[in-house]
Amino acid sequence: MSISECTMCLLSISEDQNRVLLNFSPLPSLSSPHRNRSAFPAAQGEHLHQKMSENGALPLRGKVLTVDTMNANVKKVDYAVRGPIVQRAVQIEKELKEGVKKPFEEVIKANIGDAHAMGQRPITFFRQVMALCTYPQLLDDNKFPEDAKNRARRILQSCGGNSIGAYTTSQGIDCVRHDVANYIQRRDGGIPSDPDNIYLTTGASDGIVTILKLLTAGEGRTRTGVMISIPQYPLYSASIAELGAVQINYYLNEEKCWSLDISELQRSLQAAREHCDPRVLCIINPGNPTGQVQSRQCIEDVIRFAVKENLFLMADEVYQDNVYAEGCEFHSFKKVLFEMGPEYSSKVELASFHSTSKCYMGECGFRGGYMEVINMDPEVKAQLTKLVSVRLCPPAPGQALMDLVVNSPQPGEPSYQTFIKERTDVLSALAEKAKLTEEILNTVPGISCNPVQGAMYSFPRITLPERAINEAKAKGQAPDMFYCMKLLEETGICLVPGSGFGQREGTYHFRMTILPPTDKLKIMLNKLKEFHQKFTQQYS
Amino acid sequence: MTKSNQIRFTPEILRKGIHGDTMTENGCEYRERVLTMDTMNPNVKRVEYAVRGPIVQRAVQIERELKMGIKKPFTEVIRANIGDCHAMGQKPITFFRQVLALCSYPDLLEDGKFPEDAKSRARRILQACGGGSLGAYSTSQGIEMIRQDIARYIERRDGGITCDPDNIYLSTGASDAIVTMLKLLVSGEGMSRTGVMISIPQYPLYSATLAELGAVQISYYLDEDNCWSLDISELRRALQEAKKHCSPRALCIINPGNPTGQVQSRQCIEGVIRFAAAEKLFLMADEVYQDNVYADGCKFHSFKKVLFEMGLEYSEKVELASFHSTSKCYMGECGFRGGYMEVVNLDPEVKVQLTKLVSVRLCPPVPGQALLDVVVNPPQPDEPSYDTFIKERTDTLATLAEKANMTQEILNQVPGIKCNPVQGAMYTFPRIHLPPKAILEAKEKEQTPDMFYCMKLLEETGICLVPGSGFGQRDGTYHFRMTILPPKEKLKIVLAKIKEFHQHFMAQYS
């Protein structure tokens, strides 16, 4: 930092302090301790100010927006899936390109559920329709199957000016919402779904943040508390931090395959009531990062708990087609809720989320998604519709893609066979990789891994030697961050440390996707095995 | 469910009272909703967004009624409420769509029907995508190659002033980036709460976002009598007043103006920059209409360029974020939600925070990013698609210029409607004089007078406009915003109908 930059910082602080003095009101959230604050009192800052403006030029000017003056909630946001380890991975990739020698030739990104980046091919039918929607002149091309053309025509007819470049209604294209509702109805064995309760979104993340935003209110002890699982997908903790809501942790039971215990929900709720107003319970099923698939029984218990404790339910079901383990089946919260009878189905407020990014599609880049809201207060729904209208609309290509996911080729249509083959291949490869990952990791002493029942991740527990833990602490790193960073530097494998998702104190994990192609995955698992053994040796 | 005979003094009970939720019937507790108007986020309740407000909802209803065969004095609803070019019949640029189709379905790269330049753009974009697929997440800041292309585009636009790709953030339309920057800027409580200066009239994204973030809106008025120009003395007045109750930290400018259609002079931009420097304000320049300049003698000057031409004294200091999008100009590709912002002089530590913040949402839509890339990297003179591209772009912009002119001319013929020239952007924001009787009747209906007017216009003619009150206007004045986007022939009819309606309305209420 140069001297002039340094004084600029000081000036902005001194002005803040003047403001404080004038207002007689402290700035608790704003005043993150500044390195130099105690050393240079306000008066000195003012003195500098006068001196600097003498040369007739502009008064010396510190930045308006600094880490001291910025939104304090944003500072608290953490998102490990794209955190420091991933930034380092990007750097290493650049170094490799520049010819820097490393003990490996490529970085393997097993940090994020990004299926296409890991070589998964898009579903042909989906991309044909997307191309037709984008460049409708292709509708005259006889290379495209009739069912693809029909879908494209139908989507375009419901777009303004028949162009995917027009804004859509803010809630999403009418015909797409109808198709989504029909899909949910089929999935849930005929339980009706109202297209008016469907909101298309920019990926599922967007829907989740929007609902959390609606729910956040109150101050101090009445501030909204949101129950999230630990481990969790960090979108939740990040959004809660940004909104200034209160995060309420309930721990999944690692010993029982990351299952959810109602007694643990009860415990964490009781504890939270001391300091906030718990109003929401978030569930991720199948689990991210933990890969468990909830039993029907468990879902019923959660719903009973939500009713008893007056909680709004948020069900993150983006991995609903990613179920691999025998005996496991996906049950939607909506279906279970309605099968429990009107006593529940007429009461429980539920928002469930889905996306084009996961399952067999893996179309993350299109940012397609939807949410269904159940039992939402009609006035609040009007507010929700208003709120989403400010951002105009979710991306129309993502909406079109969502439509294809919920309205895929049917038996008798020309693309049916290919579609089914592609889908089955993707899902069975994932199932195979889920198994492979669990098996190989569990052969490593010091790594213990629950079955990957669903989703796309393994979240094994790693035993770290005392000395490694101490060295990490000396570096100011979480021990599993220290481990993952070393793994990255030595093998090029990019994982996310468990601390980014939350874990019980004193336990360490990492999240690894099962997405690399089978051959590469095998190599990666073996490298991991080798690394872990070496690491354990080195630090014991 | 054994809770009913036991009262715990939870915050919820303290709020609702002991009897609020303990009624039991049929062995099952009576249960209030968790999320109600009383318990929801109060900031969200304050959000208003007129461009898609009640009048547009009514328009949708009317369209349904027409479909059901209900007789109306018109056969279709004409939506002149929103800058949605394609919906109004504007054709997409062929080259853009070819490249996007190739990116979506790369098997088409083998197809002889597509020009080579489209194919090479598509290959280049796909190579920059994970796994060569538009379906992979991109880095959160946006695909690096596209950020480099944007930086070069900005450099060309600004006569060589350097642009660092690291300062470019791709976004989900410009709206997304504007909200993100405002979010970063909002802090403090009470008198130290961030105040944000916005023009009146304004594009309601700003007021809506400020409400949602709980920031303080500071209104400065544009000068309607001087073609909606911006007066530094008015900025000063607004700022001085605001300093009494908040901490003004940002100044938002929309140029060319929405909804007012003015194009700022270089002189004016310099004045704004000096003001921002002197008053320590973060500048936000919404420049999404940068190619939409129609009036003779008007020219678009980017804030970045003017800032850097004012010398180091300014260019090293003033913090600026400028915004652009694929939705306007000659592209009109709103549905793709493509956009970017460039940040200048942003504190490096804050930049790290910004990058972290955008990473939570993973990435902007990749098709929108790809589209933006072709916008900043269009066909060149020696490429096969060049002639068609130039023709399509020129046609679109020439038609818009013609419609801008026509709108102003016809509206100004109507007694009681007065309209500034549409120098740029896509809207006219004429002032309408409403008779006292109409104002009274509106007030009885608890409507703003211009909402009353627009609603009547919609019911009688099928024309959907947005009342001026949705954008803000000086007390006692009334306006509406109308896009100039309907096809020429239709626009003529719209304007004639408005004329007729206005005369009829005046007669009825005087």
Side-chain angles (χ1 to χ4, degrees), chain A residues 477-519:
Chain A
Q477 280 182 335
D480 45 16
M481 171 65 90
F482 175 75
Y483 177 93
C484 289
M485 206 53 115
K486 240 177 139 49
L487 176 75
L488 173 64
E489 296 289 350
E490 290 180 20
T491 66
I493 299 170
C494 179
L495 307 179
V496 189
S499 44
F501 304 88
Q503 53 201 353
R504 281 203 184 271
E505 280 252 318
T507 69
Y508 305 107
H509 301 78
F510 58 74
R511 185 184 85 164
M512 181 192 125
T513 74
I514 58 166
L515 296 175
T518 310
D519 290 342

Side-chain angles (χ1 to χ4, degrees), chain B residues 292-478:
Chain B
N292 297 112
V293 176
Y294 318 116
D296 268 334
C298 284
K299 202 180 153 204
F300 170 74
H301 304 276
S302 80
F303 265 79
K304 165 100 181 285
K305 179 164 192 261
V306 176
L307 175 65
F308 276 74
E309 288 175 354
M310 285 169 73
L312 292 179
E313 192 185 332
Y314 293 95
S315 67
E316 281 188 342
K317 282 177 195 156
V318 175
E319 293 152 81
L320 168 71
S322 65
F323 307 91
H324 196 18
S325 141
T326 59
S327 305
K328 310 300 170 187
C329 301
Y330 63 94
M331 302 81 84
E333 295 277 13
C334 313
F336 281 82
R337 313 308 295 122
Y340 74 79
M341 65 174 165
E342 183 189 15
V343 293
V344 176
N345 289 323
L346 190 63
D347 181 291
E349 285 181 284
V350 174
K351 216 168 135 214
V352 171
Q353 294 286 329
L354 169 61
T355 307
K356 178 193 74 177
L357 181 63
V358 297
S359 79
V360 180
R361 294 293 190 90
L362 297 163
C363 69
V366 177
Q369 295 189 46
L371 181 59
L372 194 52
D373 189 60
V374 274
V375 170
V376 298
N377 187 15
Q380 296 306 302
D382 55 345
E383 290 186 312
S385 304
Y386 181 74
D387 290 342
T388 312
F389 169 73
I390 292 295
K391 185 180 179 318
E392 288 176 348
R393 187 179 68 177
T394 312
D395 285 355
T396 302
L397 289 174
T399 309
L400 283 171
E402 199 184 330
K403 291 193 280 193
N405 216 5
M406 185 166 92
T407 304
Q408 173 207 338
E409 274 174 12
I410 298 186
L411 285 179
N412 274 331
Q413 292 166 8
V414 188
I417 296 186
K418 189 171 168 289
C419 162
N420 272 316
V422 183
Q423 297 175 330
M426 299 177 165
Y427 316 98
T428 175
F429 196 71
R431 180 158 171 192
I432 46 177
H433 291 274
L434 301 181
K437 246 179 83 187
I439 296 173
L440 276 179
E441 190 168 325
K443 281 183 181 154
E444 271 164 29
K445 286 191 160 182
E446 296 187 345
Q447 281 180 337
T448 60
D450 45 15
M451 171 65 90
F452 175 74
Y453 178 93
C454 289
M455 206 52 114
K456 239 175 138 52
L457 176 76
L458 173 64
E459 298 288 351
E460 290 180 19
T461 66
I463 299 169
C464 180
L465 307 178
V466 190
S469 44
F471 304 87
Q473 54 200 352
R474 283 205 184 267
D475 250 25
T477 69
Y478 306 108

